[in-house]
Amino acid sequence: MDLWVTFIGTAASVPTASRGTSATLVVRGGSRVLVDCGEGTQRQFLRSGLGLIDLDAILLTHLHGDHYLGLPGLLKTYALRGRTEPLAIVGPPGLAALLGALQAVVGRLPFPLDVEEAQPGLVLALDGASWEAFPTRHSVRSLGFALIEDPRPGMFDVAAARALGVSAGPLFGRLQHGETIRVGDAEVRPEQVLGPPRAGRSVVITGDTEPCEATIVAATGAELLVHEATFLDDERERARETRHSTAREAADVARSAGVQLLALTHLSSRFLPREIRKEAAAVFGETVVPRDFDQVEVPFAERGVPILHPGGVTRRGPAGVPQAAAGPGTVSPEPDL
Ligand SMILES: [Zn+2]
Ligand SMILES: [Zn+2]
């Protein structure tokens, strides 16, 4: 099952000419979840080439404007398009009051909003995976979110199955799904032909936060950690005052958690992305600093490591031809100014 993370907006606090405010899209199979919805997110979707995606859920890390001001426009457009499917909106306490206040702007919607003021723990279960919230440390109530896939069945040992008299076809599938089958007079149990269960993938997105233990716990062993890096380390004091992280601190978290790839977002226009990457990479080598519309592909462990695709691959390019993939750890070549 495909798992892609698309950076829809990567700027801190205010948009720049080349970066929108916070929004990160996670598409896994048929599920589409947006984490944060900064101002102009619907236009960023259009500019990304993905089109105005019908989301299943929007998870808000906290209720600062640069993380939710895109909601009214997006909801209004869904209404104009005649959406009828429910939309889940999850966020910290205060979310219901915020949406109540936005009602006057958005008007009546032809689809239900399932609003959940979340506590740490499970917030969404979608097709073999769950989204869990964990507490982060910011200047207001804040949550990070982790996509955690259920474990997968172990590798299927075809030779062992054949040796037990099972012929290829539907019986293989039934064994793989944990069913005991009969072959002639004999029983064949799944554990006779399956290896140990394989861990699912996990993607962790912090939103705005100081470095914190809860992120390390949530991200331990994750394929991808998307962490904010609003400052460089020589402004660590300022980071403490505003409850944000420096690039070095984000890298420390990634190293402690042992993630495969760290993607830094929530960038201030005062720093060059290459400076941010350099500082983080001195601590944690597998660090990328995506531009808007870059995508990270997260394959199953046996198929490789997460890869950053600058400019994206699943977006519709000219003639629908995907752009060439870049290697792991690739950094966007053009700095923002
Ligand atoms: Zn922010
Ligand atoms: Zn904030």
Side-chain angles (χ1 to χ4, degrees), residues 209-282:
T209 184
E210 292 185 270
C212 67
E213 186 63 28
T215 301
I216 296 172
V217 170
T220 293
E223 272 70 14
L224 174 65
L225 170 62
V226 180
H227 201 293
E228 73 123 294
T230 312
F231 293 96
L232 289 177
D233 218 47
D234 57 6
E235 294 198 38
R236 190 184 285 217
E237 224 169 89
R238 184 92 184 101
R240 283 303 75 74
E241 281 166 24
T242 55
R243 315 294 299 269
H244 284 290
S245 298
T246 71
R248 179 187 301 273
E249 289 172 333
D252 276 332
V253 169
R255 189 177 59 177
S256 301
V259 303
Q260 289 187 6
L261 184 67
L262 168 66
L264 297 176
T265 64
H266 205 263
L267 306 185
S268 162
S269 57
R270 296 189 300 127
F271 309 113
L272 292 174
R274 65 168 174 269
E275 295 174 318
I276 292 166
R277 182 180 182 276
K278 188 174 169 209
E279 180 175 290

Side-chain angles (χ1 to χ4, degrees), residues 11-13 22 62 64-67 138 207-208 228 230 244 266:
S13 307
S22 289
H62 64 297
H64 278 157
D66 59 321
H67 295 255
H138 192 40
D208 294 4
E228 73 123 294
T230 312
H244 284 290
H266 205 263

